[in-house]
Amino acid sequence: MSYGIRLRVWGERACFTRPEMKVERVSYDVMTPSAARGILEAVHWKPAIRWVVDRIHVLKPIRFQSFRRNEVGAKASAATAERAMRGGTGAGLGLVVEDHRQQRATTLLVDVDYVIEAHFEQTAKAGPEDTDAKHISMFNRRAASGQCFHRPCLGTREFAADFELVPEGAPLPAGALPEEQRNRDLGWMLHDIDFANDHASRFFHARLTDGVLDVRRCLAEGLVS
Amino acid sequence: MTTNNGAGLARRHEFVLYFDVANGNPNGDPDAGNLPRLDPETNQGLVSDVALKRKVRNYVAMARPEAPGHEIYMRDGATLNNEHKRAWAAVLPDVTKADELKKLPKDEAKARELTRWMCANFWDIRAFGAVMGTSVNAGQVRGPVQLAFARSVEPILPLEISITRLAATTEADAEAKGGRTMGRKHIVPYGLYRAHGFVSAPLASHPVKGTGFSDADLGLLFEALTNMFEHDRSAARGEMATRRLVVFRHASALGNARAQDLFARVKTWRRFKGERHSPGDDRLDNAPPARGFDDYEITIDRDGLPDGIEIIEH
């Protein structure tokens, strides 16, 4: 735990989709630990490390808006692509979007601002040259200068995230979360997806305590699949 | 224009796109009877990321109809002739052979090969990514190009225009309504919209995750963003045009400055009586609403540009 980092992320919109409402997407009230991990990985990640999210600070009021879009209800078929590749022709491979139309509404969060507190652990893939100091300074350097592997996003890619490092020792930005939202039972929330075990989803009982989602403390109560 | 085998984009980019609409509906809201999209809290107009991407795809399909490697996967059935035959063998002669040689390819390797092939042939998969219906992870590609929602600089006022038609669709209508029917159109008298975009170079050039999106592809993206409205005329859109495209080019793949700081260098001003004001300024309270691009001014702050950042205007 000696190497903790704090990253502030914010944006105009966000959608941390609840898995039980993913057709007409409805966002969780607060960023999930898995979304926070994805943001950190967008800045710096190597197979040698694994990010662990400790706390998520909610700095702005929790507000929702609805947005309906024309979406495509079909996926590219790998079998068709393989046939086309063997046959050497791409005819009929495209998707005519009008034939696969779905109108879906998204209940998204507006004007969000968070501070992610996290640390990383070394994985089995770490080599002798993978020191903690190397990865932490790479992350801090990139985050401080605005560098990223790819642009981090707030749940889905159309909601790009701005980010800024909260340097060690610096105070946290002042929160504007109203009193009645500071302490909330958020219910069962997705913690992360277990990629080692066939992409199983793991949930935890999330609570907002004085504007902070303390992932470690909530996790102490256990994870369910 | 050839397919780009290998050389993916090496530098990160961000861009600010300004476009405007006069007497048209830039993007209808299916939840509100096709009214122009509005931010309910500020009355600023919105245009979704997917609406802009649709226009980029349509432009590329139209501008490079026969170019190898420039097929469009997410097709607009009305505009694309999907029957054109192409000599794929000339483009990728080795791929099929390599596939035949491998009698029992590993599932993951096979999936990766498929993804590669799709990326090499389809411009929009290379740019925006795609989800392939396979359980293997490599079947999903993230493209380097990411667009955010566009938002109007000032609040807009959508107008509802009632129109009549001198013919009816059905005989019953013809008898009941005397052959005339009425319809509605929603227009925005004028709106200047601003959108932000990101091009993450590692997602183009990474040996495993990269889609192979090249510098030439980036040039085509900017060409499309500049010209897409010129070929998207319709009764609903009115007059739309790209007004400004400001590109920030970083010297490295990971970037040399924070995106939010670069975006803040591009400012929109409202012009009134020869002076310029920030949108929302009190002194604009009695000003007439903007009805043309001349009512706005866009400035780019080039002072103290961070090292390794280059500004390119289109």
Side-chain angles (χ1 to χ4, degrees):
Chain A
M1 254 324 287
S2 54
Y3 290 104
I5 60 97
R6 291 181 299 172
L7 188 74
R8 181 181 183 184
V9 291
W10 68 95
E12 269 186 53
R13 292 176 196 82
C15 183
F16 309 107
T17 309
R18 291 173 183 267
E20 69 272 25
M21 287 184 273
K22 62 185 181 184
V23 177
E24 301 256 36
R25 284 177 289 266
V26 177
S27 176
Y28 280 116
D29 292 17
V30 169
M31 172 189 279
T32 60
S34 75
R37 174 182 58 81
I39 289 176
L40 301 176
E41 286 174 357
V43 177
H44 171 69
W45 178 78
K46 287 274 187 295
I49 64 167
R50 174 174 47 224
W51 286 103
V52 180
V53 176
D54 299 317
R55 274 191 214 92
I56 295 170
H57 300 257
V58 185
L59 302 181
K60 288 253 178 89
I62 298 165
R63 292 185 300 143
F64 291 92
Q65 267 180 21
S66 173
F67 202 89
R68 187 176 291 273
R69 276 174 288 191
N70 289 326
E71 300 183 7
V72 174
K75 277 194 277 188
S77 155
T80 316
E82 197 193 340
R83 225 176 298 131
M85 194 166 128
R86 284 178 190 281
T89 167
L93 193 50
L95 268 181
V96 177
V97 286
E98 278 78 11
D99 298 345
H100 300 275
R101 267 282 170 256
Q102 290 187 349
Q103 280 196 345
R104 293 188 185 176
T106 303
T107 305
L108 46 85
L109 292 164
V110 286
D111 196 18
V112 298
D113 200 340
Y114 305 101
V115 173
I116 303 166
E117 274 190 74
H119 67 278
F120 63 82
E121 287 168 357
Q122 301 227 7
T123 65
K125 288 185 180 155
E129 72 286 358
D130 285 304
T131 61
D132 286 350
K134 170 186 141 183
H135 288 291
I136 200 74
S137 60
M138 273 181 91
F139 180 89
N140 283 337
R141 194 173 62 237
R142 285 187 183 183
S145 59
Q147 293 189 318
C148 50
F149 183 85
H150 61 88
R151 173 65 22 192
C153 64
L154 297 160
T156 56
R157 284 194 81 193
E158 58 270 37
F159 309 132
D162 286 332
F163 62 93
E164 149 185 294
L165 184 73
V166 183
E168 221 177 320
L172 282 176
L177 197 63
E179 196 53 46
E180 68 274 13
Q181 292 188 342
R182 295 188 71 83
N183 294 289
R184 257 193 189 192
D185 189 331
L186 299 172
W188 289 98
M189 187 189 234
L190 178 74
H191 174 257
D192 214 329
I193 291 164
D194 189 347
F195 292 94
N197 289 307
D198 198 23
H199 300 77
S201 303
R202 307 265 186 248
F203 295 85
F204 72 119
H205 191 168
R207 274 188 205 87
L208 209 53
T209 312
D210 205 23
V212 182
L213 171 62
D214 194 325
V215 182
R216 265 186 309 167
R217 199 187 309 159
C218 295
L219 275 186
E221 296 172 21
L223 269 174
V224 292
S225 295
Chain B
M1 202 63 38
T2 53
T3 44
N4 41 78
N5 295 319
L9 192 70
R11 289 172 291 184
R12 186 178 121 182
H13 292 76
E14 267 101 35
F15 56 88
V16 181
L17 173 74
Y18 281 99
F19 61 92
D20 66 354
V21 59
N23 301 323
N25 185 356
N27 187 200
D29 186 347
D31 261 346
N34 210 34
L35 212 76
R37 291 186 189 277
L38 280 177
D39 180 334
E41 291 175 349
T42 63
N43 272 351
Q44 281 167 310
L46 298 174
V47 172
S48 67
D49 59 313
V50 284
L52 296 172
K53 288 203 284 195
R54 174 80 268 146
K55 288 174 187 36
V56 169
R57 286 183 163 112
N58 288 350
Y59 178 84
V60 173
M62 201 194 52
R64 303 281 189 276
E66 299 294 330
H70 287 72
E71 281 229 51
I72 295 297
Y73 188 73
M74 289 290 170
R75 280 175 186 161
D76 200 337
T79 58
L80 224 180
N81 161 26
N82 59 5
E83 289 306 313
H84 50 209
K85 297 272 191 286
R86 194 159 310 140
W88 292 100
V91 188
L92 292 161
D94 48 324
V95 170
T96 34
K97 276 177 197 158
D99 193 46
E100 284 159 12
L101 282 174
K102 268 186 236 151
K103 289 282 178 200
L104 286 166
K106 267 192 187 166
D107 208 17
E108 199 171 328
K110 200 171 104 186
R112 190 158 293 159
E113 205 180 328
L114 273 177
T115 314
R116 284 256 162 82
W117 188 83
M118 293 292 277
C119 283
N121 284 298
F122 290 92
W123 189 89
D124 58 336
I125 294 183
R126 219 151 60 228
F128 303 127
V131 178
M132 299 242 284
T134 156
S135 56
V136 185
N137 249 349
Q140 182 168 348
V141 250
R142 258 178 319 179
V145 182
Q146 188 174 344
L147 277 165
F149 284 8
R151 168 184 287 280
S152 69
V153 172
E154 289 188 293
I156 56 163
L157 178 74
L159 298 181
E160 185 180 322
I161 311 284
S162 288
I163 49 173
T164 57
R165 187 170 69 163
L166 290 174
T169 315
T170 62
E171 279 187 35
D173 274 359
E175 283 164 19
K177 295 168 185 167
R180 283 167 186 257
T181 41
M182 293 198 75
R184 286 178 305 163
K185 280 180 99 153
H186 296 283
I187 63 162
V188 177
Y190 185 79
L192 178 67
Y193 289 73
R194 172 176 171 151
H196 290 171
F198 307 86
V199 188
S200 303
L203 292 182
S205 56
H206 191 273
V208 180
K209 295 172 187 161
T211 64
F213 186 81
S214 67
D215 278 302
D217 289 330
L218 185 75
L220 181 53
L221 173 72
F222 292 146
E223 181 189 323
L225 289 170
T226 312
N227 296 321
M228 59 190 178
F229 297 116
E230 306 294 327
H231 306 280
D232 187 55
R233 305 290 178 208
S234 79
R237 299 276 174 254
E239 292 169 51
M240 295 187 72
T242 296
R243 290 296 185 169
R244 205 84 173 263
L245 177 61
V246 182
V247 179
F248 295 99
R249 173 173 286 166
H250 299 247
S252 65
L254 290 174
N256 297 64
R258 302 195 295 183
Q260 64 263 35
D261 298 343
L262 296 178
F263 288 141
R265 288 176 172 271
V266 182
K267 285 206 173 68
T268 328
W269 306 89
R270 180 67 199 281
R271 268 215 271 226
F272 179 54
K273 286 187 176 170
E275 287 180 37
R276 66 181 192 200
H277 306 275
S278 294
D281 191 305
D282 290 347
R283 285 169 295 176
L284 289 171
D285 283 357
N286 289 320
R291 285 292 180 263
F293 186 59
D294 289 344
D295 292 326
Y296 291 102
E297 191 176 333
I298 296 162
T299 59
I300 306 167
D301 179 9
R302 295 165 190 275
D303 289 342
L305 208 61
D307 285 345
I309 299 292
E310 187 189 343
I311 296 179
I312 305 159
E313 282 191 72
H314 290 261

mmCIF file of all heavy atoms in Angstrom, chain A residues 122-137:
data_model
loop_
_atom_site.group_PDB
_atom_site.id
_atom_site.type_symbol
_atom_site.label_atom_id
_atom_site.label_comp_id
_atom_site.label_asym_id
_atom_site.label_seq_id
_atom_site.Cartn_x
_atom_site.Cartn_y
_atom_site.Cartn_z
ATOM 1 N N GLN A 122 1.690 -6.373 -8.102
ATOM 2 C CA GLN A 122 2.406 -7.051 -9.176
ATOM 3 C C GLN A 122 1.749 -8.397 -9.457
ATOM 4 O O GLN A 122 1.253 -9.055 -8.561
ATOM 5 C CB GLN A 122 3.863 -7.258 -8.756
ATOM 6 C CG GLN A 122 4.536 -5.939 -8.455
ATOM 7 C CD GLN A 122 5.904 -5.815 -9.098
ATOM 8 O OE1 GLN A 122 6.306 -6.664 -9.868
ATOM 9 N NE2 GLN A 122 6.586 -4.736 -8.782
ATOM 10 N N THR A 123 1.736 -8.765 -10.689
ATOM 11 C CA THR A 123 1.143 -10.042 -11.067
ATOM 12 C C THR A 123 2.231 -11.069 -11.312
ATOM 13 O O THR A 123 3.434 -10.752 -11.232
ATOM 14 C CB THR A 123 0.313 -9.893 -12.355
ATOM 15 O OG1 THR A 123 1.209 -9.551 -13.417
ATOM 16 C CG2 THR A 123 -0.743 -8.820 -12.224
ATOM 17 N N ALA A 124 1.812 -12.268 -11.665
ATOM 18 C CA ALA A 124 2.774 -13.347 -11.910
ATOM 19 C C ALA A 124 3.642 -13.057 -13.131
ATOM 20 O O ALA A 124 4.701 -13.666 -13.308
ATOM 21 C CB ALA A 124 2.011 -14.657 -12.103
ATOM 22 N N LYS A 125 3.180 -12.127 -13.961
ATOM 23 C CA LYS A 125 3.937 -11.833 -15.183
ATOM 24 C C LYS A 125 5.063 -10.823 -14.951
ATOM 25 O O LYS A 125 5.769 -10.463 -15.895
ATOM 26 C CB LYS A 125 2.991 -11.297 -16.255
ATOM 27 C CG LYS A 125 2.093 -12.390 -16.817
ATOM 28 C CD LYS A 125 1.249 -11.869 -17.948
ATOM 29 C CE LYS A 125 0.360 -12.979 -18.501
ATOM 30 N NZ LYS A 125 -0.829 -12.467 -19.135
ATOM 31 N N ALA A 126 5.180 -10.346 -13.716
ATOM 32 C CA ALA A 126 6.191 -9.333 -13.436
ATOM 33 C C ALA A 126 7.583 -9.935 -13.510
ATOM 34 O O ALA A 126 7.828 -11.024 -12.995
ATOM 35 C CB ALA A 126 5.949 -8.743 -12.060
ATOM 36 N N GLY A 127 8.480 -9.232 -14.166
ATOM 37 C CA GLY A 127 9.860 -9.683 -14.260
ATOM 38 C C GLY A 127 10.706 -8.950 -13.236
ATOM 39 O O GLY A 127 10.206 -8.111 -12.484
ATOM 40 N N PRO A 128 12.013 -9.256 -13.199
ATOM 41 C CA PRO A 128 12.879 -8.609 -12.209
ATOM 42 C C PRO A 128 12.990 -7.098 -12.420
ATOM 43 O O PRO A 128 13.249 -6.359 -11.472
ATOM 44 C CB PRO A 128 14.235 -9.304 -12.435
ATOM 45 C CG PRO A 128 14.132 -9.954 -13.778
ATOM 46 C CD PRO A 128 12.689 -10.241 -14.011
ATOM 47 N N GLU A 129 12.780 -6.646 -13.658
ATOM 48 C CA GLU A 129 12.929 -5.212 -13.906
ATOM 49 C C GLU A 129 11.660 -4.425 -13.540
ATOM 50 O O GLU A 129 11.637 -3.205 -13.603
ATOM 51 C CB GLU A 129 13.301 -4.958 -15.375
ATOM 52 C CG GLU A 129 12.212 -5.176 -16.415
ATOM 53 C CD GLU A 129 11.896 -6.648 -16.687
ATOM 54 O OE1 GLU A 129 12.550 -7.523 -16.087
ATOM 55 O OE2 GLU A 129 10.976 -6.912 -17.475
ATOM 56 N N ASP A 130 10.579 -5.133 -13.179
ATOM 57 C CA ASP A 130 9.325 -4.451 -12.856
ATOM 58 C C ASP A 130 9.292 -4.042 -11.393
ATOM 59 O O ASP A 130 8.672 -4.694 -10.564
ATOM 60 C CB ASP A 130 8.135 -5.366 -13.150
ATOM 61 C CG ASP A 130 7.871 -5.484 -14.631
ATOM 62 O OD1 ASP A 130 7.674 -4.434 -15.259
ATOM 63 O OD2 ASP A 130 7.884 -6.604 -15.149
ATOM 64 N N THR A 131 9.961 -2.948 -11.076
ATOM 65 C CA THR A 131 9.906 -2.487 -9.692
ATOM 66 C C THR A 131 8.681 -1.610 -9.509
ATOM 67 O O THR A 131 8.170 -1.012 -10.454
ATOM 68 C CB THR A 131 11.159 -1.669 -9.348
ATOM 69 O OG1 THR A 131 11.176 -0.537 -10.233
ATOM 70 C CG2 THR A 131 12.417 -2.475 -9.545
ATOM 71 N N ASP A 132 8.190 -1.551 -8.250
ATOM 72 C CA ASP A 132 7.056 -0.683 -7.949
ATOM 73 C C ASP A 132 7.363 0.759 -8.334
ATOM 74 O O ASP A 132 6.536 1.469 -8.891
ATOM 75 C CB ASP A 132 6.734 -0.743 -6.447
ATOM 76 C CG ASP A 132 6.050 -2.051 -6.095
ATOM 77 O OD1 ASP A 132 5.675 -2.785 -7.039
ATOM 78 O OD2 ASP A 132 5.886 -2.324 -4.898
ATOM 79 N N ALA A 133 8.595 1.164 -8.021
ATOM 80 C CA ALA A 133 8.969 2.559 -8.261
ATOM 81 C C ALA A 133 8.887 2.911 -9.736
ATOM 82 O O ALA A 133 8.463 3.996 -10.112
ATOM 83 C CB ALA A 133 10.378 2.812 -7.740
ATOM 84 N N LYS A 134 9.234 1.969 -10.588
ATOM 85 C CA LYS A 134 9.220 2.237 -12.027
ATOM 86 C C LYS A 134 7.783 2.491 -12.499
ATOM 87 O O LYS A 134 7.504 3.482 -13.182
ATOM 88 C CB LYS A 134 9.812 1.031 -12.760
ATOM 89 C CG LYS A 134 9.636 1.070 -14.256
ATOM 90 C CD LYS A 134 10.104 -0.219 -14.906
ATOM 91 C CE LYS A 134 9.172 -0.604 -16.032
ATOM 92 N NZ LYS A 134 9.512 -1.865 -16.664
ATOM 93 N N HIS A 135 6.871 1.603 -12.093
ATOM 94 C CA HIS A 135 5.497 1.760 -12.586
ATOM 95 C C HIS A 135 4.816 2.986 -11.988
ATOM 96 O O HIS A 135 4.065 3.668 -12.663
ATOM 97 C CB HIS A 135 4.692 0.492 -12.300
ATOM 98 C CG HIS A 135 5.093 -0.661 -13.160
ATOM 99 N ND1 HIS A 135 4.836 -0.666 -14.513
ATOM 100 C CD2 HIS A 135 5.770 -1.802 -12.895
ATOM 101 C CE1 HIS A 135 5.320 -1.786 -15.031
ATOM 102 N NE2 HIS A 135 5.898 -2.494 -14.075
ATOM 103 N N ILE A 136 5.090 3.241 -10.714
ATOM 104 C CA ILE A 136 4.421 4.388 -10.089
ATOM 105 C C ILE A 136 4.917 5.681 -10.721
ATOM 106 O O ILE A 136 4.141 6.605 -10.980
ATOM 107 C CB ILE A 136 4.622 4.386 -8.547
ATOM 108 C CG1 ILE A 136 3.555 5.256 -7.889
ATOM 109 C CG2 ILE A 136 5.985 4.887 -8.109
ATOM 110 C CD1 ILE A 136 2.217 4.622 -7.875
ATOM 111 N N SER A 137 6.215 5.745 -11.035
ATOM 112 C CA SER A 137 6.692 7.005 -11.604
ATOM 113 C C SER A 137 6.231 7.138 -13.050
ATOM 114 O O SER A 137 5.967 8.242 -13.521
ATOM 115 C CB SER A 137 8.208 7.121 -11.489
ATOM 116 O OG SER A 137 8.807 6.066 -12.173
#
